[in-house]
Structures are given as C-alpha cells and as structure tokens.
Amino acid sequence: MILQILSINNFRNFSSKKFYFDRRTAITGINGSGKTSIVEAIYYFTNLKSFRTTNDKKVLMIGKDNFLLNIEGERENQKFSMGIMYNDNKKLISINGKRTNRLSEAFGFFISVIFSTYDKLLSDKPAIYRRKFIDRIISTVDPLYFENLIEYFSILKKRNFVLKNDGDKKLLDVYTQQLSQRSVYIYEKRLEFLIYFEDILNQLYELVFEKKQLVKVKYFSSKDSGDYKEYILYERLKKIFPQENEKKRTLLGPHLDDFLISVDNKPISDFGSEGEKTLLGTTLKIAEINIIYENVGEYPVVLIDDAFSELDILKIEKLLKIFDNFPQIIITYPKKWDMIKNYTMIDLDKS
Ligand SMILES: Nc1ncnc2c1ncn2[C@@H]1O[C@H](COP(=O)(O)OP(=O)(O)O)[C@@H](O)[C@H]1O
Ligand SMILES: [Mg+2]
C-alpha cells in the first residue's frame, strides 16, 4: 500500500492544501504547525474516524461546515483514489470515484497503522484501548467480524435503552437472544486471534529486547472469566436481570471483555517506566503490521506521530531498523532531531 497524494480541505488548521509523499517522508514544523493533523487526516481513511477524537466535528476547521479529504496511491500495483466528505453530521465515502453505501466496504480499503503517544495506553489500565485495538485488527483482516461488531453494538444500544426505560420485557428478551448470538462469533474470533498474536509478540520481543522473554496473552471474559460457548450468554444475562435492572445497562458480553498480557509472568499493567510502556505499545503495533501483511498480503502505510519521544536513542535506532522492511513510512518529528536520514522532507514552517 502506497500513499502518493493527500488533499485536505477545512480539516483542523488546513483550509486547502496538497501534500506529496515518497516511500520515506518526514514532516516537521514548530508546535501547532499541523504535523499531527496531516497523519490524522491520512489515518481517517483507515479508521473512518480520527485517532485523537471520536467526534468528527472536532476536526472540522472552526467556522466551516464541511471538510473534504482525498488520497491517491497504489494498492496491489494499481492506482486508487479515496475520498471522505463530512457534511451535516454525515460522512460520504468514495472509492475510485464511486460512492460506497456501507461502512464495511470502506473499512479495510486503505490500510495504515499509526504509532502515536496513545500507544502506551495499551499497557495502562483502561480495557477499552485494548478492546478497540484487537477489534480494529480483526476487523481489518475479517470483514465478517466487522459486520458482527457493528450489529452487536447496535443491538447493545437498543438493549440498554430498554433497560434504562424499564421497557417491554418481551422486546428485552429478543435483544438478549440477538446479543447472545452475535457474541459467539466475536468471542471465537478474538480467541483465535489472540493465540496468533501471542506468537508474533514472542518473536518481536526477542528482536527488540535481544533476549528471549515469555510473552503470554490471555483473554479475560466478563462472563465469569468463562466461555461463551459453554453456557450461552443468553441464560447468564437472564439470571443477572435483577442487577441489570438496577444498573440499567448490559453487564456481560464482549463489549466488557479484556485481554491481559504478561511478560515473564509480570502483567504489563505493572510495567514501570513510560519508556517501557511506549516500547510495549510499539511492539503491539508492529505485531499489527505483521498480522495485516500475513492476512492481506500487503504492508500498511506506517505513520509515526511523535511516538518515540520517551525512548532513548539506541532503542529508537533499533526500532527504525525493524521499520526498514516497511515499504512506506511517514513520520512527524520535532526540529531538534537529527536521526532522520534519507527522508523526503515536508517542512510546514516553509510552506
Ligand atoms: N478544528 C480546528 N479548526 C482549526 N484549527 C484547529 C482545529 N483543531 C486544531 N486546530 C489547530 O491546528 C493546529 C495544528 O495542530 P497539530 O496538528 O496538533 O500540530 P502539531 O502536531 O504540529 O503540533 C493547532 O494550532 C491547533 O490549535
Ligand atoms: Mg503533534
């Protein structure tokens, strides 16, 4: 996957701008010049939303009512284009000039992976970052998973609405059944994926840390740490109705599950330094790139946004060596760095 051109209109601080990318491109500029906004715009085509906010309105240039993003590049040696237009709270997406009707058509078309300062949150406490992380990877390689997930969350929303408003018990029962059915595929795919993930993480850890360490990845289910096949979620949800009725929301299911990673039997949430957490987050992302390559047959475009500021020079150099294999890298960096060599420069202070 190669990105060649990004056109950007009314997005963050850019009213109208066009950027050209090489296999190795470095974006620099003073604070607030728009470095992150450029990779944010690129990543929009992968995630169909920002990596900094879930609110599309926040990226819309203040005072404007629509933004427009376009990219051109090469995929499997063929030229492609993709556009995203945001207007009136709605996003219209087109691929090669044709409107897409479903999100699942657009998701997984332009594949990129972003390294950012958010990565260290993957090893910190909130489970939601890890859940989003695995959901995104599996969705990229399995469109059926993505469709299941969308359905699951739409049923969950309706079910929570009924719980919240003491709604019709029969309707609640229908949603409980639907939710339980959708859970099985999501759960099974996550389990399958985590075994594979554990394997890749073990290989990467040895590369980055230059010694063998035992990385374990364990699925942590909100359903009694149990299995969604053995007892059907449906029965469990019925049993806990009194609690749900009190809390007014769904208390079990894949939307509350987590996965726990340990290195040499030490849970990663106990990892000390910010540097260690960053390094772990980075390793998880490199695993993501490998998984995509093995499943899709193409490397994603690698985006790096201020991700390594907490690492020492030696580690950064080692990481950049691993990154050498990737066909395209777009990196933002502060001006004082002199580590970036052989990169085409975009200097936002000069344009
Ligand atoms: N919705 C918006 N409309 C206009 N400007 C914005 C919007 N959101 C952020 N900005 C501005 O965009 C600029 C670029 O931010 P950012 O991309 O984070 O810069 P950098 O990564 O180079 O430090 C900042 O000055 C910020 O205030
Ligand atoms: Mg920035």
Side-chain angles (χ1 to χ4, degrees), residues 32-279:
S33 56
K35 303 181 292 296
T36 302
S37 301
I38 297 175
V39 288
E40 184 179 35
I42 298 171
Y43 195 67
Y44 235 89
F45 288 89
T46 297
N47 209 31
L48 310 177
K49 55 180 182 256
S50 164
F51 75 95
R52 286 202 274 190
T53 168
T54 49
N55 184 354
D56 288 320
K57 271 205 188 98
K58 289 242 171 86
V59 303
L60 182 64
M61 188 174 216
I62 295 163
K64 304 287 175 174
D65 49 24
N66 62 65
F67 72 72
L68 182 64
L69 300 171
N70 266 292
I71 53 170
E72 287 172 45
E74 269 178 27
R75 189 193 146 99
E76 289 163 0
N77 294 322
Q78 290 210 312
K79 293 226 169 281
F80 76 84
S81 65
M82 189 168 172
I84 299 178
M85 186 170 120
Y86 174 85
N87 197 1
D88 252 354
N89 283 320
K90 270 208 291 273
K91 265 177 290 199
L92 298 181
I93 300 171
S94 64
I95 292 175
N96 296 326
K98 250 185 77 191
R99 270 268 301 279
T100 54
N101 297 315
R102 297 160 67 97
L103 272 188
S104 54
E105 276 176 58
F107 195 89
F109 182 81
F110 175 77
I111 308 173
S112 65
V113 168
I114 186 159
F115 293 81
S116 76
T117 46
Y118 291 101
D119 292 347
K120 64 171 179 245
L121 293 173
L122 283 169
S123 55
D124 260 327
K125 291 269 147 54
I128 185 163
Y129 290 100
R130 284 181 293 278
R131 247 188 338 259
K132 277 191 175 165
F133 175 72
I134 43 166
D135 282 347
R136 197 189 56 243
I137 305 181
I138 309 173
S139 296
T140 307
V141 301
D142 180 0
L144 196 59
Y145 184 86
F146 185 60
E147 277 177 24
N148 259 280
L149 212 57
I150 288 180
E151 283 285 325
Y152 180 89
F153 279 103
S154 132
I155 300 161
L156 180 69
K157 207 168 153 191
K158 290 187 260 186
R159 191 176 186 274
N160 283 341
F161 187 82
V162 176
L163 282 168
K164 201 171 165 201
N165 297 291
D166 291 321
D168 182 9
K169 293 284 168 305
K170 269 201 193 117
L171 187 61
L172 184 69
D173 193 63
V174 171
Y175 291 148
T176 308
Q177 275 182 41
Q178 291 179 345
L179 203 69
S180 312
Q181 282 162 2
R182 294 283 169 188
S183 299
V184 178
Y185 188 78
I186 295 172
Y187 172 71
E188 282 176 353
K189 277 285 147 182
R190 283 184 183 171
L191 275 195
E192 201 183 301
F193 170 80
L194 288 181
I195 293 169
Y196 180 61
F197 193 49
E198 186 178 82
D199 197 40
I200 292 188
L201 271 181
N202 272 295
Q203 293 169 27
L204 273 172
Y205 249 75
E206 207 176 331
L207 260 178
V208 177
F209 294 89
E210 284 173 336
K211 61 173 186 188
K212 221 177 170 53
Q213 294 178 81
L214 184 67
V215 185
K216 280 207 169 297
V217 183
K218 193 176 173 301
Y219 195 86
F220 187 81
S221 161
S222 58
K223 200 189 126 306
D224 303 336
S225 318
D227 186 308
Y228 287 99
K229 281 178 289 183
E230 237 176 82
Y231 316 92
I232 306 169
L233 180 63
Y234 176 70
E235 286 169 12
R236 280 287 285 130
L237 281 171
K238 273 175 74 161
K239 269 206 196 107
I240 60 157
F241 177 72
Q243 287 111 289
E244 290 203 319
N245 196 32
E246 193 195 33
K247 297 265 196 239
K248 306 280 174 219
R249 63 192 146 85
T250 306
L251 296 176
L252 291 176
H255 65 290
L256 294 172
D257 295 354
D258 195 0
F259 67 99
L260 306 177
I261 304 175
S262 62
V263 179
D264 284 343
N265 293 317
K266 197 169 119 191
I268 57 157
S269 49
D270 292 353
F271 275 24
S273 76
E274 298 302 291
E276 263 182 300
K277 286 181 195 164
T278 300
L279 210 51

